Each structure stands twice: as C-alpha cells, then as structure tokens.
Short mmCIF file of all heavy atoms in Angstrom, two decimals:
data_model
loop_
_atom_site.label_atom_id
_atom_site.label_comp_id
_atom_site.label_asym_id
_atom_site.label_seq_id
_atom_site.Cartn_x
_atom_site.Cartn_y
_atom_site.Cartn_z
N LEU A 1218 -6.10 -31.94 -46.39
CA LEU A 1218 -5.89 -33.39 -46.32
C LEU A 1218 -6.05 -33.89 -44.89
O LEU A 1218 -5.54 -33.29 -43.95
CB LEU A 1218 -4.50 -33.75 -46.84
CG LEU A 1218 -4.26 -33.52 -48.34
CD1 LEU A 1218 -2.79 -33.78 -48.68
CD2 LEU A 1218 -5.17 -34.42 -49.18
N PRO A 1219 -6.76 -35.02 -44.73
CA PRO A 1219 -6.89 -35.59 -43.38
C PRO A 1219 -5.56 -36.17 -42.92
O PRO A 1219 -4.70 -36.51 -43.72
CB PRO A 1219 -7.94 -36.69 -43.56
CG PRO A 1219 -7.83 -37.08 -45.01
CD PRO A 1219 -7.47 -35.82 -45.74
N GLN A 1220 -5.41 -36.27 -41.62
CA GLN A 1220 -4.23 -36.86 -40.98
C GLN A 1220 -2.95 -36.04 -41.18
O GLN A 1220 -1.86 -36.50 -40.84
CB GLN A 1220 -4.00 -38.31 -41.43
CG GLN A 1220 -5.02 -39.27 -40.83
CD GLN A 1220 -4.96 -39.30 -39.30
OE1 GLN A 1220 -5.75 -38.62 -38.64
NE2 GLN A 1220 -4.04 -40.06 -38.75
N LEU A 1221 -3.07 -34.85 -41.78
CA LEU A 1221 -1.95 -33.91 -41.85
C LEU A 1221 -2.37 -32.60 -41.22
O LEU A 1221 -3.54 -32.22 -41.27
CB LEU A 1221 -1.53 -33.63 -43.30
CG LEU A 1221 -1.08 -34.79 -44.18
CD1 LEU A 1221 -0.60 -34.25 -45.52
CD2 LEU A 1221 0.00 -35.63 -43.52
N ARG A 1222 -1.40 -31.89 -40.65
CA ARG A 1222 -1.63 -30.52 -40.22
C ARG A 1222 -0.55 -29.64 -40.84
O ARG A 1222 0.63 -29.79 -40.54
CB ARG A 1222 -1.58 -30.38 -38.69
CG ARG A 1222 -1.87 -28.94 -38.25
CD ARG A 1222 -1.73 -28.73 -36.78
NE ARG A 1222 -1.81 -27.29 -36.48
CZ ARG A 1222 -1.41 -26.73 -35.34
NH1 ARG A 1222 -0.92 -27.49 -34.37
NH2 ARG A 1222 -1.49 -25.42 -35.16
N LEU A 1223 -0.97 -28.78 -41.74
CA LEU A 1223 -0.03 -27.88 -42.39
C LEU A 1223 0.41 -26.80 -41.41
O LEU A 1223 -0.41 -26.00 -40.96
CB LEU A 1223 -0.66 -27.25 -43.63
CG LEU A 1223 0.22 -26.26 -44.39
CD1 LEU A 1223 1.50 -26.92 -44.90
CD2 LEU A 1223 -0.56 -25.63 -45.56
N ARG A 1224 1.69 -26.79 -41.11
CA ARG A 1224 2.23 -25.84 -40.12
C ARG A 1224 2.90 -24.65 -40.75
O ARG A 1224 2.93 -23.56 -40.15
CB ARG A 1224 3.21 -26.57 -39.19
CG ARG A 1224 2.58 -27.67 -38.35
CD ARG A 1224 1.59 -27.15 -37.33
NE ARG A 1224 2.23 -26.27 -36.37
CZ ARG A 1224 2.76 -26.69 -35.20
NH1 ARG A 1224 2.71 -27.98 -34.88
NH2 ARG A 1224 3.31 -25.83 -34.37
N GLY A 1225 3.55 -24.84 -41.92
CA GLY A 1225 4.27 -23.70 -42.48
C GLY A 1225 5.12 -24.05 -43.66
O GLY A 1225 4.80 -24.94 -44.44
N LEU A 1226 6.23 -23.32 -43.76
CA LEU A 1226 7.14 -23.45 -44.89
C LEU A 1226 8.55 -23.76 -44.40
O LEU A 1226 8.95 -23.37 -43.30
CB LEU A 1226 7.20 -22.15 -45.70
CG LEU A 1226 5.91 -21.57 -46.25
CD1 LEU A 1226 6.23 -20.31 -47.05
CD2 LEU A 1226 5.17 -22.58 -47.10
N MET A 1227 9.31 -24.42 -45.27
CA MET A 1227 10.73 -24.65 -45.05
C MET A 1227 11.48 -24.17 -46.28
O MET A 1227 11.00 -24.33 -47.41
CB MET A 1227 11.02 -26.13 -44.82
CG MET A 1227 12.49 -26.42 -44.47
SD MET A 1227 13.52 -26.86 -45.89
CE MET A 1227 13.30 -28.63 -45.93
N ALA A 1228 12.64 -23.56 -46.07
CA ALA A 1228 13.47 -23.13 -47.20
C ALA A 1228 14.94 -23.33 -46.85
O ALA A 1228 15.33 -23.29 -45.69
CB ALA A 1228 13.21 -21.68 -47.55
N ILE A 1229 15.72 -23.59 -47.91
CA ILE A 1229 17.18 -23.74 -47.78
C ILE A 1229 17.82 -22.77 -48.77
O ILE A 1229 18.17 -23.16 -49.89
CB ILE A 1229 17.63 -25.18 -48.07
CG1 ILE A 1229 16.82 -26.19 -47.27
CG2 ILE A 1229 19.13 -25.34 -47.76
CD1 ILE A 1229 17.10 -27.63 -47.63
N PRO A 1230 17.97 -21.51 -48.42
CA PRO A 1230 18.58 -20.56 -49.36
C PRO A 1230 20.01 -20.93 -49.69
O PRO A 1230 20.71 -21.58 -48.90
CB PRO A 1230 18.52 -19.23 -48.59
CG PRO A 1230 17.46 -19.42 -47.55
CD PRO A 1230 17.53 -20.87 -47.18
N GLU A 1231 20.45 -20.50 -50.86
CA GLU A 1231 21.85 -20.69 -51.23
C GLU A 1231 22.76 -19.94 -50.25
O GLU A 1231 22.37 -18.91 -49.69
CB GLU A 1231 22.09 -20.14 -52.65
CG GLU A 1231 21.45 -20.97 -53.75
CD GLU A 1231 22.10 -22.33 -53.90
OE1 GLU A 1231 23.33 -22.43 -53.74
OE2 GLU A 1231 21.36 -23.29 -54.16
N PRO A 1232 23.97 -20.44 -50.02
CA PRO A 1232 24.90 -19.72 -49.15
C PRO A 1232 25.15 -18.31 -49.69
O PRO A 1232 25.22 -18.10 -50.90
CB PRO A 1232 26.17 -20.57 -49.21
CG PRO A 1232 25.70 -21.94 -49.58
CD PRO A 1232 24.54 -21.73 -50.49
N ALA A 1233 25.25 -17.38 -48.78
CA ALA A 1233 25.49 -15.99 -49.16
C ALA A 1233 26.67 -15.46 -48.35
O ALA A 1233 26.97 -15.96 -47.27
CB ALA A 1233 24.24 -15.14 -48.90
N PRO A 1234 27.37 -14.43 -48.88
CA PRO A 1234 28.65 -14.03 -48.29
C PRO A 1234 28.58 -13.25 -46.99
O PRO A 1234 29.57 -13.17 -46.27
CB PRO A 1234 29.29 -13.17 -49.39
CG PRO A 1234 28.11 -12.62 -50.16
CD PRO A 1234 27.09 -13.72 -50.15
N ASP A 1235 27.45 -12.63 -46.68
CA ASP A 1235 27.39 -11.79 -45.48
C ASP A 1235 25.96 -11.74 -44.95
O ASP A 1235 25.03 -12.25 -45.57
CB ASP A 1235 27.91 -10.38 -45.76
CG ASP A 1235 27.21 -9.70 -46.94
OD1 ASP A 1235 25.97 -9.83 -47.05
OD2 ASP A 1235 27.89 -9.06 -47.75
N PHE A 1236 25.82 -11.13 -43.80
CA PHE A 1236 24.52 -11.08 -43.12
C PHE A 1236 23.45 -10.45 -44.00
O PHE A 1236 22.33 -10.98 -44.09
CB PHE A 1236 24.66 -10.30 -41.81
CG PHE A 1236 23.37 -10.13 -41.05
CD1 PHE A 1236 22.97 -11.09 -40.12
CD2 PHE A 1236 22.57 -9.02 -41.25
CE1 PHE A 1236 21.79 -10.94 -39.42
CE2 PHE A 1236 21.38 -8.87 -40.56
CZ PHE A 1236 20.98 -9.83 -39.63
N ALA A 1237 23.77 -9.34 -44.63
CA ALA A 1237 22.76 -8.64 -45.43
C ALA A 1237 22.27 -9.51 -46.59
O ALA A 1237 21.06 -9.58 -46.86
CB ALA A 1237 23.34 -7.33 -45.97
N ALA A 1238 23.18 -10.19 -47.26
CA ALA A 1238 22.79 -11.05 -48.37
C ALA A 1238 22.01 -12.26 -47.88
O ALA A 1238 21.03 -12.70 -48.50
CB ALA A 1238 24.03 -11.49 -49.15
N GLN A 1239 22.43 -12.82 -46.75
CA GLN A 1239 21.69 -13.94 -46.16
C GLN A 1239 20.28 -13.51 -45.80
O GLN A 1239 19.30 -14.22 -46.08
CB GLN A 1239 22.42 -14.44 -44.90
CG GLN A 1239 23.74 -15.12 -45.15
CD GLN A 1239 24.50 -15.38 -43.86
OE1 GLN A 1239 24.14 -14.90 -42.79
NE2 GLN A 1239 25.59 -16.15 -43.97
N ARG A 1240 20.17 -12.36 -45.18
CA ARG A 1240 18.86 -11.88 -44.74
C ARG A 1240 17.94 -11.63 -45.93
O ARG A 1240 16.73 -11.92 -45.87
CB ARG A 1240 19.01 -10.61 -43.90
CG ARG A 1240 17.71 -10.12 -43.27
CD ARG A 1240 17.96 -8.97 -42.31
NE ARG A 1240 16.76 -8.61 -41.58
CZ ARG A 1240 15.85 -7.76 -42.02
NH1 ARG A 1240 16.02 -7.15 -43.21
NH2 ARG A 1240 14.76 -7.49 -41.31
N GLU A 1241 18.49 -11.10 -47.02
CA GLU A 1241 17.68 -10.85 -48.21
C GLU A 1241 17.06 -12.14 -48.73
O GLU A 1241 15.88 -12.18 -49.09
CB GLU A 1241 18.54 -10.19 -49.29
CG GLU A 1241 17.83 -9.99 -50.62
CD GLU A 1241 16.60 -9.10 -50.51
OE1 GLU A 1241 16.59 -8.19 -49.66
OE2 GLU A 1241 15.63 -9.34 -51.27
#
C-alpha cells in the first residue's frame, strides 16, 4: 500500500504468572 511502511508486528499476550510462561 502506498503512503504506508510496514514495520512489523504488535502483540498483547494475556498476563502470565511467571517469566517462563510470559516468555512462552
């Protein structure tokens, strides 16, 4: 599409209880 530059992705994962689950 003209006048846009696709840079990447955005995500909002569900809250997770610890680092390992967040990272997954």
Side-chain angles (χ1 to χ4, degrees):
L1218 292 174
Q1220 287 299 97
L1221 301 185
R1222 182 184 171 197
L1223 179 60
R1224 297 293 298 269
L1226 304 182
M1227 185 266 271
I1229 310 173
E1231 289 292 324
D1235 54 42
F1236 177 89
Q1239 291 171 350
R1240 186 172 187 273
E1241 175 60 32

